[in-house]
């Protein structure tokens, strides 16, 4: 298998190992509680849970939410990954998926712009085509390994043809195993669709499922990325998207609190507030920033360290411009990105499955990562100037 994959790419050198995991030994959780009895005659004692992983969760969340960096989402399942490979004429085999993922994670200097990578289960346990564990490659780049833990979307009975996210059964044992393998954060995606509602049932199911997942993840050492995606599809305007966002985010944080989730140890991955893809007028980056930041201020506690926006069907440039507009003034959160296609699209097209294109493809990935890093800092200047920086970027990574 490795020989097949090796024929598709050339090995890349790695930067120096980070100190992110220094001193962090793999361990099993212990339970610590404080019982507070306010005095005689009280109806019951108040039990305050102190999580065994709380300090580590806070440290991990802050590492992922570090200045100028964001998340590379590459947790697509094997079927979706196969569609991407088929688009460039490659068969959907484990060897080809291994080659693709190796290329994504090995550009020298990637960790300057990427703080975390969300992996599919196969990838978490995989090695590169050169035989090095993927987890070790990430750590050497200063990138925190993450893992997709949900089991996908299925029809929600009793709803208006809406969906819910499955995977809570067995989540605790899976999360413990992922932690032992080296993952330090998790991702769980649920969706709310405006074309079919959303119904009260769908909103509550999404919020409750996210809260239970978050609590279970934290008890097993994983920082949960809470992802309530409000789907871009539809002909609704930006005001309608804002209204639904208010409802969804309120429910999510209510149930997170009900489940004793440590807010300092989570990351939020929401949709930007935009009109539906079928709406006649597009919003400017400044409008998206205004609505989205207003929603954040109304619904998200400042204790949450990072807001890692999804691109959610936006084009590469739209996602970057919107993020840059949101970072033109100080925020109480680290407002950043967790992009999949918006980082991978040009990379995949440039590579085309051909070994001679590896260097150019990785340069393209670095360029997109650098553009979004600049946007996180509020310093993005547009594609033309970014292209002018490309030579300096490549030279600095060598």
């Amino acid at each position: 298998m490795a020989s097949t994959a090796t024929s598709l790419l050339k090995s890349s050198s790695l930067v120096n190992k980070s100190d992110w995991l220094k001193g962090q030994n793999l361990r099993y959780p212990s339970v610590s509680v404080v019982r507070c009895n306010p005095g005689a005659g009280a109806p019951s004692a108040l039990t305050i849970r102190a999580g065994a992983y709380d300090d580590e969760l806070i440290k991990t969340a802050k590492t992922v939410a570090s200045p100028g960096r964001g998340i590379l989402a590459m947790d697509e399942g094997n079927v979706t990954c196969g569609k991407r490979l088929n688009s460039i004429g490659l068969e959907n085999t484990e060897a080809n998926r291994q080659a693709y993922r190796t290329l994504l994670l090995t550009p020298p200097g990637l960790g300057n712009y990427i703080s975390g990578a969300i992996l599919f289960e196969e990838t978490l346990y995989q090695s590169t085509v050169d035989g090095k564990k993927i987890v070790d490659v990430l750590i050497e780049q200063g990138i925190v390994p993450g893992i997709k833990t949900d089991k996908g979307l299925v029809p929600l009975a009793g709803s208006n043809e809406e969906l819910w996210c499955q995977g809570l059964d067995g989540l605790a044992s899976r999360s413990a195993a992922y932690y032992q393998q080296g993952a330090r954060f998790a991702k769980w995606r649920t969706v709310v669709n405006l074309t079919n509602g959303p119904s009260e049932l769908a909103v509550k199911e999404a919020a409750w499922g996210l809260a239970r997942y978050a609590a279970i993840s934290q008890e097993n050492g994983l920082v949960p990325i809470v992802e309530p995606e409000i789907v871009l599809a539809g002909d609704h305007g930006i005001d309608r998207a804002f209204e639904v966002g208010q409802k969804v985010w309120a429910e999510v944080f209510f149930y997170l609190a009900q489940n004793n989730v440590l807010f300092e140890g989570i990351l939020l991955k929401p949709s930007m507030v935009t009109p539906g893809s079928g709406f006649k007028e597009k919003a400017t980056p400044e409008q998206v920033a205004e609505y989205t930041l207003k929603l954040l201020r109304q619904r998200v506690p400042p204790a949450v360290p990072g807001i890692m926006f999804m691109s959610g069907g936006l084009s590469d440039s739209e996602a970057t411009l919107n993020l840059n507009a949101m970072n033109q003034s100080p925020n109480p959160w680290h407002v950043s990105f967790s992009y999949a296609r918006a980082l991978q699209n040009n990379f995949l097209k440039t590579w085309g499955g051909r070994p001679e294109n590896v260097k150019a493809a990785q340069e393209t990935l670095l360029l997109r990562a650098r553009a979004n890093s600049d946007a996180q800092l509020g310093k993005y200047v547009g594609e033309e100037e970014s292209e002018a920086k490309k030579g300096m970027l490549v030279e600095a990574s060598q």
Side-chain angles (χ1 to χ4, degrees), residues 53-256:
Y53 290 100
D54 283 1
D55 290 343
E56 183 180 343
L57 292 169
I58 293 170
K59 179 180 178 181
T60 299
K62 287 181 177 178
T63 300
V64 176
S66 54
R69 300 205 295 168
I71 295 174
L72 169 60
M74 46 179 294
D75 56 304
E76 59 273 1
N78 291 343
V79 173
T80 302
C81 189
K83 292 178 181 178
R84 295 186 180 180
L85 293 173
N86 290 337
S87 72
I88 58 172
L90 291 181
E91 186 181 354
N92 185 14
T93 64
E94 183 179 354
N96 286 343
R97 294 193 299 270
Q98 180 191 38
Y100 180 54
R101 291 158 178 165
T102 296
L103 281 178
L104 279 173
L105 296 175
T106 54
L110 183 65
N112 294 330
Y113 319 114
I114 301 297
S115 57
I118 312 173
L119 309 177
F120 187 60
E121 185 176 73
E122 179 183 74
T123 316
L124 181 67
Y125 291 91
Q126 218 167 29
S127 297
T128 67
V129 296
D130 298 321
K132 193 163 190 174
K133 292 181 179 179
I134 291 289
V135 169
D136 292 341
V137 170
L138 288 170
I139 293 170
E140 289 185 356
Q141 290 267 41
I143 300 171
V144 184
I147 178 68
K148 168 187 165 71
T149 58
D150 69 72
K151 293 296 184 180
L153 300 166
V154 293
L156 176 62
S159 72
N160 186 23
E161 298 183 353
E162 295 165 286
L163 302 171
W164 69 285
C165 187
Q166 61 185 344
L168 290 177
D169 288 350
L171 178 60
S173 59
R174 295 200 313 274
S175 297
Y178 297 149
Y179 182 93
Q180 292 297 313
Q181 182 63 17
R184 289 298 180 269
F185 71 94
K187 177 250 185 156
W188 181 284
R189 171 182 175 257
T190 193
V191 300
V192 173
N193 197 321
L194 274 67
T195 58
N196 293 338
S199 66
E200 189 77 13
L201 173 63
V203 172
K204 287 189 177 296
E205 176 59 45
W208 178 256
L210 283 168
R212 290 305 304 145
Y213 139 78
I216 293 168
S217 298
Q218 288 189 340
E219 286 199 350
N220 290 279
L222 301 179
V223 169
I225 290 183
V226 176
E227 184 176 350
E229 179 179 357
I230 298 174
V231 180
L232 184 63
D235 58 3
H236 54 276
I238 195 169
D239 289 297
R240 175 59 176 160
F242 180 84
E243 178 187 9
V244 173
Q246 285 182 308
K247 176 64 175 175
V248 172
W249 292 15
E251 292 283 335
V252 167
F253 280 96
F254 173 78
Y255 285 119
L256 286 172

